[in-house]
Amino acid sequence: MITLTSEELKRVRNPEIALVQKFINVYGGQTALVVDGIWGSLSKSTFILAFVNKNAEAISYAEKLEIAKQLGDTNTKRLEAVAKVESGPDGGWFPSGLPTILFERHKFWQWIGDKSKRVVSWFSNPTPGGYTKDANKNGINDSWEKLADAIGSDPKAALKSISIGEFQVMGVYHLQCGYEHPIEMLWAARNSQRAQYMMLRDYILKVANLKPAFLKLSTNPADCEAFARGYNGGGYKKYDYHNKLAKAMR
């Protein structure tokens, strides 16, 4: 992870915001931002633009097989069944080229460091909801605009509050997924489908302890219940996830 120099730390207003600005400059911003720790409209738009990638690298069969073996499997059938059921209609990227995310406003409310900044807004709320896609019809998914706005209040809390990629693994699990900072996890998801599959692997192995449930997946819905419950929560039956997994296994 990049860091701020001692000279940069002396002059920036907010070090966490400055770190995001520097990250954008180093890894792909179209406009060089002034690393000042002030999050204005240019920082927001450049942040979003930097994450657009319409040529992300697709995962190969060999890479899928490697990940399946790391999960204790001998083939990719279970991994592909999970991908078929758990991946949303956009897959790992929105049509805009931005990696798929879902901003969870209630998680941001929970994780914001300075509680005095808890103000109800479209990106901050103690209750879940507000899952609009493009309410202002500007072609940018609303979760990305919420994320860009939330960074101005608390960058790390904002980046922890997004579900990332094809398998919607939350940024709060960045350490379990091998990333020092959640922005690195989001950047990896921008660049390759393999990285998104690895997030699924790490979620199964290191976060939810779902390896036994994963290896039990079969064409029998009863065998899929443990994984569906662990991955989708107690309401998995309402959305028929166990039956969907069994069908995908066929």
Side-chain angles (χ1 to χ4, degrees):
M1 179 65 187
I2 62 170
T3 58
L4 299 175
T5 66
S6 57
E7 287 302 312
E8 286 172 330
L9 283 168
K10 288 178 185 177
R11 65 173 182 260
V12 301
R13 182 175 297 183
N14 182 312
E16 281 291 331
I17 288 176
L19 196 67
V20 172
Q21 291 172 322
K22 188 171 182 178
F23 187 95
I24 295 167
N25 285 348
V26 171
Y27 289 103
Q30 300 296 314
T31 303
L33 295 173
V34 177
V35 180
D36 55 8
I38 301 171
W39 196 249
S41 58
L42 180 61
S43 291
K44 291 179 189 178
S45 61
T46 304
F47 169 78
I48 293 173
L49 183 61
F51 278 87
V52 173
N53 185 2
K54 293 190 175 183
N55 298 296
E57 187 177 351
I59 192 169
S60 68
Y61 173 77
E63 289 169 336
K64 280 186 187 179
L65 182 59
E66 177 189 7
I67 291 171
K69 287 180 178 178
Q70 290 165 354
L71 287 167
D73 215 341
T74 58
N75 57 60
T76 63
K77 189 173 182 180
R78 290 180 180 86
L79 187 62
E80 289 172 350
V82 171
K84 184 174 183 179
V85 173
E86 302 296 349
S87 178
D90 293 310
W93 288 264
F94 292 123
S96 64
L98 288 165
T100 308
I101 65 168
L102 182 67
F103 190 87
E104 299 283 6
R105 67 185 191 183
H106 63 296
K107 293 296 184 182
F108 179 75
W109 182 277
Q110 175 184 341
W111 291 328
I112 193 168
D114 183 353
K115 305 308 180 188
S116 68
K117 292 184 178 180
R118 279 181 168 171
V119 178
V120 172
S121 68
W122 84 315
F123 63 83
S124 182
N125 198 300
T127 60
Y131 299 117
T132 57
K133 292 185 178 181
D134 189 9
N136 57 7
K137 307 295 183 184
N138 68 349
I140 302 172
N141 184 274
D142 289 344
S143 280
W144 271 96
E145 293 193 283
K146 290 174 186 177
L147 172 60
D149 283 343
I151 285 173
S153 294
D154 188 323
K156 203 160 188 180
L159 289 156
K160 286 163 59 177
S161 300
I162 52 172
S163 298
I164 299 172
E166 193 165 344
F167 304 103
Q168 295 292 278
V169 179
M170 289 201 75
V172 71
Y173 301 122
H174 61 280
L175 293 175
Q176 292 93 327
C177 293
Y179 301 99
E180 186 178 341
H181 193 283
I183 198 170
E184 295 176 301
M185 183 173 168
L186 182 58
W187 188 255
R190 169 205 187 270
N191 292 327
S192 83
Q193 191 179 23
R194 177 175 178 268
Q196 297 190 18
Y197 270 75
M198 290 171 69
M199 291 171 198
L200 171 67
R201 174 203 65 190
D202 292 335
Y203 182 82
I204 289 172
L205 293 178
K206 301 175 184 179
V207 178
N209 192 27
L210 285 173
K211 180 180 175 180
F214 173 79
L215 294 175
K216 193 178 178 182
L217 290 174
S218 77
T219 57
N220 183 349
D223 290 339
C224 300
E225 288 198 31
F227 186 87
R229 182 185 299 108
Y231 198 88
N232 302 110
Y236 73 93
K237 286 187 177 180
K238 178 181 177 182
Y239 298 101
D240 210 29
Y241 281 112
H242 58 309
N243 283 311
K244 290 177 182 177
L245 284 164
K247 183 178 178 181
M249 284 295 295
R250 297 189 196 108

